[in-house]
Amino acid sequence: TTEALAMFAEDRCTFIDVRPDSDRPGTSGIPGSVRLPHPERTSSMAALPDGRLLELCEQLNARGGNFVVYGTRDAMTECWDPALILAGYFRMWPKDVKILKGGLQDWIAAGGKLE
């Protein structure tokens, strides 16, 4: 979580919220996160219309750098598959797609901001 907070402060990564309800109105998350509920949207990315896929790719690559995937507390179980899917789609080494250990709960406990 400390590394993720530093990356956030330096604006050198893209946070990706893969909680199943992440795109529901009123759901809080890390500011600027791309909301990509798993498995609903991560599993169907390849089937998106070209315009929507391009828009999503621009959102995901806007900051450059690594991806930080997060979910709820059980981050490894919840985030492993979407992290590998994203690494494959974006031709990234799996080490460049990080998982926020402890998820959003640990982010909050460490003093991370929410939107």
Side-chain angles (χ1 to χ4, degrees):
T1 305
T2 305
E3 180 184 5
L5 286 165
M7 293 170 73
F8 177 81
E10 296 168 8
D11 200 27
R12 60 182 173 102
C13 65
T14 300
F15 284 86
I16 304 167
D17 186 348
V18 297
R19 294 175 296 160
D21 62 347
S22 65
D23 63 349
R24 188 178 64 206
T27 303
S28 296
I30 296 171
S33 294
V34 175
R35 295 173 187 242
L36 195 63
H38 179 73
E40 178 189 334
R41 290 195 34 217
T42 55
S43 299
S44 63
M45 282 176 56
L48 287 174
D50 290 347
R52 176 63 186 118
L53 185 58
L54 179 60
E55 179 183 317
L56 179 59
C57 289
E58 287 173 350
Q59 282 181 300
L60 290 168
N61 286 313
R63 289 189 177 92
N66 296 336
F67 291 163
V68 178
V69 178
Y70 72 94
T72 54
R73 183 168 299 281
D74 192 11
M76 292 308 285
T77 302
E78 188 176 16
C79 298
W80 186 254
D81 288 343
L84 289 176
I85 289 169
L86 290 164
Y89 278 137
F90 289 92
R91 297 183 180 170
M92 300 171 81
W93 289 104
K95 68 178 181 59
D96 294 330
V97 180
K98 310 219 180 280
I99 294 174
L100 180 60
K101 293 180 181 141
L104 192 59
Q105 284 78 6
D106 281 8
W107 173 266
I108 295 166
K113 298 177 184 178
L114 291 180
E115 65 176 359

